Amino acid sequence: MLTKINVTELNHRLNAFCGIMDSTYPDWDTGLIINRVNQYYFTGTMQDGLLVIKKDRTGYYFARRSYERAKDESLFLNIYPMESYRDAVKVIGAECGNTYLELEVVPVAMLERLKKYFSMPSIRGLDQEISLTRAVKSPYELERMINSGKLHKEILTNIVPSLLTEGMSEADLVVDLYAHMVKIGHHGVSRFAMFQNEIVCGQIGFGESSLYPTNFDGPGGAYGMSPAVPVLGSRERKLKKGDLVFVDIGFGVDGYHTDKTQVYQFGAKPSPDVIAAHRGCIEVENRLAEQLMPGAIPSVIYALVMNSLSTQFLQNFMGYGKRQVKFLGHGIGLNVDELPVIANGFDLPLQQNMVIALEPKKGIQNVGMVGVEDTYTVTPNGGNCLTGGGSDIIIV
């Protein structure tokens, strides 16, 4: 059984969230939380349920399935069994006043069911406020991400090279890699906040496959299994000598992820142009990491770095062709994609113990995607790397 999140930690999270709500929406009365990852953040258990947070800092967790497991796993003070929202009304009453909920994830049908039982004269979103609360990691959270980062480096530096064999498919590598990840401590899933985003363990591509467009919002690509499963490794694309191998995977411990990318060259040495492009990405990562200090503005970091790059380097930077993403890094934690984002429009200052994955990458025609990605904590001395830092292409 995993260690339970202690009451002090849970109270800190609830109070931090309420403080942000008080500042942003002084007239708020009730927060309704449906998303299971957010429920886990505030309660320490992940059930089919409803979490209610009141302005007076009181929280109520109503668990439909499983109440027994919720009681076993969580030290959250107020946990109740629930068969329908009617059971929640019996405890907290129907009047919710100015109500805030996760408009990014709550289906309209579920909202209508909530309206059937609760009186909510005003409904607005609290997605941003929860994201800002979760963006600053506690020592408990950082401990898990530090452990994840160490294992993440181990899997990409020492294990992946031993898995690469001529003639294997991308799907073969995904299967072998996933098995090794779970064996050494990976929690088994890669969770994303983005609506309808799903991925097994990451993006894996041989050669030109890593340039192929996908619906995933990242610089890399993949042929995928089929049009119905566009982000898993292909069964048809086989590894051959001279291929560049692109492995961009999330890793996680006890719910908390790190993000890292490593590039390999199979059966040959990379060309000078490929090496230069890859090392250029390492330099960008290092410059970004130096600026990850409390008070720094993500949009300013993005502009400074992007404006410093040559026109030649910017060609196929952060993607390939017209499919180029507009960020250089993203927050990470219980989800792989969190706040803050190193991009235009993100103007809130960084805070100590935010955790950010930096991922400068560059596509090379007929070769594949090169570049790096590593996970950093924000500190007064700049980014502290949890995943080992950007490294040269590993020749296998």
Side-chain angles (χ1 to χ4, degrees):
M1 181 65 67
L2 298 177
T3 303
K4 297 180 181 181
I5 303 176
N6 66 51
V7 173
T8 301
E9 174 87 7
L10 294 176
N11 286 339
H12 171 77
R13 296 177 184 186
L14 187 146
N15 287 324
F17 166 72
C18 290
I20 291 175
M21 288 294 291
D22 288 344
S23 176
T24 309
Y25 304 113
D27 62 345
W28 79 288
D29 294 304
T30 305
L32 302 181
I33 298 175
I34 302 293
N35 179 276
R36 294 184 186 185
V37 173
N38 287 333
Q39 289 181 13
Y40 174 78
Y41 178 77
F42 288 110
T43 69
T45 188
M46 186 181 295
Q47 308 305 323
D48 175 15
L50 171 68
L51 174 62
V52 181
I53 298 178
K54 292 290 190 177
K55 187 180 179 68
D56 65 1
R57 270 67 172 166
T58 305
Y60 305 86
Y61 190 38
F62 300 94
R64 179 181 289 113
R65 183 176 179 89
S66 157
Y67 169 72
E68 292 80 8
R69 179 160 181 156
K71 290 292 289 183
D72 185 51
E73 292 179 340
S74 176
L75 295 175
F76 193 77
L77 294 181
N78 300 316
I79 303 179
Y80 303 86
M82 177 179 70
E83 292 186 4
S84 77
Y85 293 137
R86 183 181 295 107
D87 296 319
V89 171
K90 292 176 183 177
V91 176
I92 63 172
E95 297 296 328
C96 288
N98 294 324
T99 305
Y100 292 74
L101 48 79
E102 303 144 310
L103 295 183
E104 294 285 345
V105 299
V106 174
V108 172
M110 182 175 287
L111 177 58
E112 291 304 314
R113 287 195 292 272
L114 288 167
K115 287 180 176 180
K116 179 180 176 181
Y117 293 99
F118 296 103
S119 174
M120 301 180 286
S122 170
I123 300 174
R124 299 176 67 180
L126 48 62
D127 307 81
Q128 178 87 350
E129 288 63 42
I130 293 178
S131 295
L132 291 173
T133 305
R134 285 175 42 186
V136 180
K137 276 35 178 201
S138 68
Y140 172 91
E141 295 175 292
L142 289 175
E143 180 182 356
R144 278 135 189 85
M145 298 185 78
I146 289 169
N147 290 338
S148 177
K150 290 177 181 177
L151 296 173
H152 210 160
K153 179 184 178 183
E154 169 68 16
I155 199 88
L156 287 179
T157 303
N158 298 323
I159 295 179
V160 169
S162 70
L163 302 178
L164 298 175
T165 57
E166 189 171 4
M168 76 183 316
S169 69
E170 292 175 348
D172 292 334
L173 179 56
V174 171
V175 171
D176 293 347
L177 176 55
Y178 180 79
H180 280 81
M181 289 168 66
V182 173
K183 285 178 181 177
I184 71 169
H186 177 48
H187 59 212
V189 297
S190 291
R191 290 195 172 107
F192 289 81
M194 182 177 291
F195 182 64
Q196 294 197 116
N197 197 36
E198 57 185 10
I199 202 162
V200 176
C201 62
Q203 284 191 310
I204 294 174
F206 299 160
E208 78 294 339
S209 174
S210 61
L211 303 177
Y212 194 73
T214 73
N215 60 20
F216 181 74
D217 189 24
Y223 286 146
M225 187 70 75
S226 74
V229 187
V231 293
L232 190 63
S234 166
R235 288 193 177 97
E236 284 71 37
R237 182 55 165 91
K238 311 290 187 179
L239 182 62
K240 61 183 184 296
K241 288 183 179 179
D243 274 341
L244 199 75
V245 178
F246 175 81
V247 179
D248 177 356
I249 60 172
F251 198 95
V253 172
D254 291 353
Y256 287 89
H257 302 81
T258 50
D259 209 354
K260 183 174 175 66
T261 298
Q262 180 64 54
V263 176
Y264 312 83
Q265 187 87 40
F266 182 73
K269 292 184 179 180
S271 71
D273 289 345
V274 170
I275 292 173
H278 184 81
R279 289 183 176 171
C281 291
I282 294 175
E283 292 175 7
V284 171
E285 180 180 300
N286 292 338
R287 284 157 53 196
L288 288 166
E290 291 172 355
Q291 300 179 67
L292 296 184
M293 294 180 284
I297 307 298
S299 60
V300 173
I301 295 173
Y302 180 80
L304 285 173
V305 171
M306 291 296 290
N307 291 337
S308 72
L309 302 177
S310 69
T311 301
Q312 180 180 2
F313 190 81
L314 285 171
Q315 185 176 4
N316 296 322
F317 180 61
M318 295 306 293
Y320 185 73
K322 295 180 180 180
R323 186 182 51 84
Q324 293 175 273
V325 298
K326 303 299 183 182
F327 63 86
L328 291 171
H330 55 86
I332 187 168
L334 288 171
N335 288 318
V336 174
D337 53 339
E338 295 193 356
L339 294 181
V341 182
I342 307 300
N344 285 329
F346 289 84
D347 301 324
L348 291 176
L350 298 181
Q351 298 181 52
Q352 187 161 341
N353 292 340
M354 286 181 167
V355 183
I356 300 172
L358 304 175
E359 57 172 320
K361 294 165 184 170
K362 182 174 170 64
I364 302 176
Q365 186 175 9
N366 300 322
V367 175
M369 186 67 59
V370 299
V372 287
E373 181 172 18
D374 283 285
T375 302
Y376 292 82
T377 57
V378 175
T379 82
N381 298 315
N384 176 46
C385 190
L386 304 182
T387 49
S391 65
D392 282 336
I393 297 170
I394 295 176
I395 300 173
V396 181

